[in-house]
Amino acid sequence: MLNSFRQSMAWVHTWFGLVLGFVLMVAFFFGALSVFDREIDRWAIPETRFEPQPMPSYDNLLKQVFADLKPHPLDMAATAERVIGDLPAPDTMPMVSLFAYTTHRDPVLRIGAEFDIPNKPKDPSDDHLHVHGWATIDPRTGAALPDDQLKIGSNWFYPMHYSLQLNWKSLGIYVVGLAALIMLVALITGVIMHRKIFKEFFTFRPKKRTQRSTLDLHNMTGVVALPFHFFFAFTGLVIFAAYYYFPVSGTLLKPLHDRHEVIEAEHTGLPHEEAGVPAELASVDAMVAEAKRIWAERDMAGEVGLLMIEHLGDANGYVSIYRAGSDRVALVGEGIHFKASSGELLREEPPSDPVGAVNEFLTGLHLQHFEHWTLRWLYVAGGLLGCICIATGFVFFVEKRKQDHAKRGLQGCRLVDAMAVTTVTGMVLAAVGMLVANRLLPENLPGRGDWEQWTFWGVWLLSLLHALWRSAPVALARSNPAWREQCWVLAVACVAAVLLNWITTGDHLLKTMLLDPYWAVAGVDLSLLACALISVYTARRLARTVEVKQGSRIGGVAYE
Amino acid sequence: MSNAGLWLLAAACSMWLATNWLALSLPVHWRQVFVADEVAPGYLRTLGWLALAVSVLCCFKADHPSMAVLVWFTLLPVAAVATAMTLSYRPALLRAACPAFLRAR
């Protein structure tokens, strides 16, 4: 009975793991990159290579920046399709709300606003009709940064982590959500399958047959980082739970949700509707100072992360100030709200109840807004261990079957192997290729960000074609030379990215590490060089035919 | 280096010792490192667990409790992989983690 139970668990682990492993690989790798998304942004947009800035003064700087902010042409076009009649001229639309957002790692400031329009929607249930405007500014001067430049870290690698950039009907988010669920299943079934967890906790026999060593590595990276893998898959699900599994507040229970918003507004004293009476805005800087004083009183001194103003220019307007949660794991905003016209304190958000606190901790654990560089690197290490675990899973799958498939003339292993090449070396190649393109494309090329994105997909597609083209030996129970070849290309691309960064910006490692330290850029360069070294080592290792030697056996575990 | 940094370093060191000792307490790894037909003294495993506890304390000295827990849990796999890789490629290095007085019975 136990035996068949274990076998059924093995079946689930193998096949579900294989099918969704490709997605998990993407989620883990780009998740690991996302830990340093802001630093990658700075590498990719050299104009932003200055020190992170706190939220600038609203009264002296942001007020003017928002006065100059206009509805974005992209959102104008999108909204025009949803409304009856023509939209008014963008200059005449009144700004009704705004936000400014930053973190302790952002040199630049993201801002956005909503503009009111008189048009009726085509679909009556479409009840949130505004035109949006957004920009990224230099918080020291208020100057807008070119909007055409793609923030490769935070706007490409990070969304790739949770949405695969498949935005049609949010398909990617659902696929990643399913993969996270399967990840939890894979962890549990994996533990059930692995009989010698403690005995072989530290076991990795690199000189044994590929099948044995990959299984060792698969087991080891899976087991030692089990809590990490479990918590990241689980908290990822928690963050999107309302989206994946209970989207009822936006669908079935929409009327109830809307009613709740009104009642909540009465309860909290934060007006839900405009009064229709124009009003001036009091000093926001004074409100920020008061909010900081209140946080300090609660022993949670900190900077402002998010500043929002609702019902702008109206007597019911209010200013909400949220803390940048940089000193603890839990994602706590500790929001403080003020009446916009007078600066009078309207509401201090109370400490969370236990359920809320657990949710904030789990969310914060995953989204890591905290300031702790060691922990950030440990997260990267955990993410990469996850990648190794998944990649060795693929390799083991192929190794275990390829002899048999070769005898029976099947092509299954060949396909799986090509997919594995594409999702392991191919994916890293696509990411590094994008960085190379970022440094090669002309500065004023129109739609530069789009070209970078096409490079990413193009390189990835090429790696798939290459892997398929070279995969014939797998069907003869040999190994695919594409692994080795893509490792070489990857090593060259990594070094090229570092050199191009030096040539095009003058920021070489000697400068960014010693002469004028700037660790955000140095860190990306060093990581690229590390990746190049690992690729060269792997490529050379793969070139060597591993002789299967009969090693001495000690206590049932064979060592060379 | 700040105080917190020193405590973190201490946490990492004791974690690394802990995983080394726990690995050496397994007969197969002991024989790999010391090439002897003996097994580790029984207290080595206890020492390993103690070192794990010490690393918890160091983490709590370094950071806010919620952060300390995460540092500890993410440090563990890194130390364990470091130990496993040393065992695979340079097992003799682990002799340093287990000097003669710890081998005495």
Side-chain angles (χ1 to χ4, degrees):
Chain A
M1 183 67 203
L2 181 72
N3 198 26
S4 82
F5 176 68
R6 197 165 253 154
Q7 276 169 0
S8 48
M9 291 298 106
W11 187 89
V12 170
H13 186 91
T14 305
W15 292 100
F16 281 59
L18 178 73
V19 173
L20 283 156
F22 300 116
V23 178
L24 284 173
M25 191 75 192
V26 176
F28 265 78
F29 178 67
F30 287 103
L33 289 190
S34 301
V35 175
F36 287 109
D37 60 345
R38 302 301 208 273
E39 286 70 17
I40 297 171
D41 285 354
R42 283 190 250 171
W43 190 95
I45 309 177
E47 295 92 316
T48 62
R49 290 181 187 177
F50 48 91
E51 291 310 309
Q53 306 289 319
M55 183 70 75
S57 154
Y58 185 89
D59 298 353
N60 301 327
L61 189 129
L62 288 181
K63 197 170 203 165
Q64 191 53 46
V65 170
F66 278 107
D68 297 338
L69 185 69
K70 294 284 167 262
H72 199 282
L74 279 178
D75 204 51
M76 284 283 287
T79 311
E81 289 179 10
R82 286 161 57 196
V83 297
I84 302 164
D86 291 331
L87 286 175
D91 285 341
T92 60
M93 294 178 187
M95 191 185 284
V96 288
S97 74
L98 60 84
F99 79 85
Y101 174 74
T102 190
T103 73
H104 71 276
R105 298 188 294 131
D106 272 307
V108 298
L109 181 73
R110 289 158 201 244
I111 61 165
E114 285 181 338
F115 297 87
D116 206 13
I117 47 171
N119 308 56
K120 292 264 176 282
K122 283 180 184 164
D123 172 5
S125 66
D126 191 359
D127 59 356
H128 187 75
L129 263 193
H130 291 107
V131 181
H132 299 85
W134 59 86
T136 302
I137 62 157
D138 181 339
R140 300 168 304 180
T141 60
L145 291 162
D147 195 38
D148 209 17
Q149 297 198 6
L150 177 69
K151 294 192 183 91
I152 290 186
S154 56
N155 282 355
W156 188 256
F157 291 164
Y158 176 47
M160 185 67 77
H161 163 59
Y162 61 83
S163 77
L164 311 173
Q165 297 283 7
L166 285 178
N167 298 322
W168 181 73
K169 297 214 183 281
S170 304
L171 187 66
I173 292 184
Y174 288 108
V175 175
V176 174
L178 181 65
L181 200 61
I182 294 305
M183 170 94 195
L184 293 177
V185 173
L187 289 174
I188 295 164
T189 49
V191 167
I192 295 169
M193 286 162 70
H194 188 24
R195 293 163 214 220
K196 302 173 186 164
I197 291 184
F198 295 105
K199 205 172 160 203
E200 294 194 354
F201 193 86
F202 298 98
T203 300
F204 169 46
R205 288 155 292 188
K207 290 171 190 155
K208 302 289 289 180
R209 276 195 312 146
T210 317
Q211 185 177 333
R212 186 68 243 178
S213 8
T214 45
L215 184 60
D216 276 351
L217 208 50
H218 181 71
N219 288 343
M220 185 184 74
T221 49
V223 169
V224 297
L226 194 65
F228 182 91
H229 300 328
F230 184 85
F231 262 95
F232 274 80
F234 178 67
T235 52
L237 281 172
V238 168
I239 290 167
F240 277 111
Y243 194 89
Y244 294 135
Y245 301 116
F246 309 110
V248 285
S249 65
T251 51
L252 279 174
L253 302 182
K254 181 98 170 68
L256 196 64
H257 167 264
D258 292 352
R259 182 81 196 116
H260 176 257
E261 253 186 22
V262 176
I263 294 170
E264 193 182 31
E266 280 167 15
H267 178 66
T268 58
L270 304 179
H272 188 258
E273 298 295 334
E274 292 185 358
V277 182
E280 286 294 311
L281 182 63
S283 164
V284 175
D285 287 2
M287 300 179 213
V288 167
E290 175 63 7
K292 283 186 180 172
R293 194 191 61 73
I294 295 172
W295 293 329
E297 225 171 50
R298 294 186 192 170
D299 194 25
M300 294 178 92
E303 286 294 330
V304 178
L306 176 64
L307 178 96
M308 292 171 76
I309 307 182
E310 278 296 324
H311 310 315
L312 198 64
D314 184 90
N316 267 356
Y318 62 92
V319 177
S320 302
I321 299 167
Y322 296 91
R323 199 172 153 273
S326 59
D327 61 345
R328 57 201 69 210
V329 173
L331 195 57
V332 282
E334 295 285 314
I336 316 267
H337 310 271
F338 300 90
K339 194 171 175 66
S341 56
S342 62
E344 171 201 344
L345 181 70
L346 282 180
R347 175 177 162 81
E348 285 179 44
E349 280 175 19
S352 314
D353 53 70
V355 175
V358 168
N359 187 38
E360 281 166 359
F361 178 76
L362 292 178
T363 317
L365 181 157
H366 197 111
L367 296 176
Q368 12 106 22
H369 284 243
F370 47 75
E371 187 166 356
H372 197 307
W373 297 104
T374 314
L375 190 49
R376 263 176 202 283
W377 278 108
L378 289 172
Y379 271 30
V380 173
L384 294 180
L385 282 177
C387 290
I388 298 175
C389 183
I390 301 162
T392 45
F394 296 147
V395 177
F396 177 72
F397 180 97
V398 173
E399 289 299 320
K400 195 177 171 189
R401 287 164 183 79
K402 69 182 186 188
Q403 301 284 354
D404 178 50
H405 280 205
K407 274 183 212 138
R408 291 159 59 198
L410 298 175
Q411 302 286 317
C413 276
R414 186 177 168 180
L415 190 66
V416 170
D417 191 78
M419 282 298 288
V421 174
T422 314
T423 31
V424 181
T425 50
M427 176 176 61
V428 190
L429 253 180
V432 178
M434 192 179 199
L435 294 181
V436 172
N438 168 274
R439 293 292 86 225
L440 278 179
L441 292 168
E443 209 59 49
N444 333 317
L445 182 74
R448 195 169 180 276
D450 296 337
W451 282 101
E452 286 166 3
Q453 293 174 20
W454 288 120
T455 309
F456 179 89
W457 293 125
V459 172
W460 210 346
L461 182 67
L462 280 178
S463 85
L464 170 66
L465 295 177
H466 174 240
L468 285 170
W469 171 52
R470 302 288 274 151
S471 63
V474 181
L476 304 170
R478 293 208 301 273
S479 56
N480 189 343
W483 284 104
R484 194 171 68 235
E485 290 158 4
Q486 293 198 7
C487 279
W488 282 118
V489 180
L490 183 57
V492 172
C494 287
V495 174
V498 174
L499 290 177
L500 284 167
N501 175 43
W502 175 7
I503 294 165
T504 54
T505 66
D507 288 347
H508 51 83
L509 273 169
L510 209 58
K511 182 180 165 196
T512 49
M513 286 171 69
L514 295 172
L515 302 175
D516 182 14
Y518 195 80
W519 284 101
V521 170
V524 176
D525 275 348
L526 287 173
S527 307
L528 283 165
L529 290 181
C531 179
L533 279 178
I534 295 168
S535 307
V536 169
Y537 173 79
T538 314
R540 290 173 59 105
R541 191 68 220 273
L542 288 172
R544 227 165 50 202
T545 359
V546 185
E547 291 283 319
V548 188
K549 292 177 193 156
Q550 278 301 321
S552 54
R553 293 181 75 83
I554 309 168
V557 185
Y559 277 89
E560 292 292 306
Chain B
M1 197 186 270
S2 65
N3 253 351
L6 285 175
W7 280 117
L8 278 180
L9 192 66
C13 290
S14 57
M15 177 73 87
W16 178 74
L17 275 179
T19 51
N20 285 347
W21 286 338
L22 287 174
L24 285 175
S25 73
L26 295 168
V28 56
H29 297 310
W30 177 269
R31 283 169 196 160
Q32 222 182 321
V33 171
F34 293 107
V35 204
D37 279 338
E38 290 177 5
V39 290
Y43 56 79
L44 202 58
R45 179 168 294 178
T46 320
L47 272 187
W49 286 106
L50 270 178
L52 274 185
V54 169
S55 73
V56 174
L57 291 179
C58 294
C59 286
F60 274 91
K61 290 296 272 185
D63 288 305
H64 192 272
S66 61
M67 209 93 89
V69 173
L70 283 189
V71 172
W72 191 83
F73 268 109
T74 45
L75 211 48
L76 183 64
V78 176
V81 170
T83 299
M85 289 299 165
T86 320
L87 278 171
S88 307
Y89 291 98
R90 294 271 180 282
L93 285 183
L94 282 190
R95 284 178 201 175
C98 194
F101 69 90
L102 284 182
R103 287 178 233 162
R105 227 149 280 273

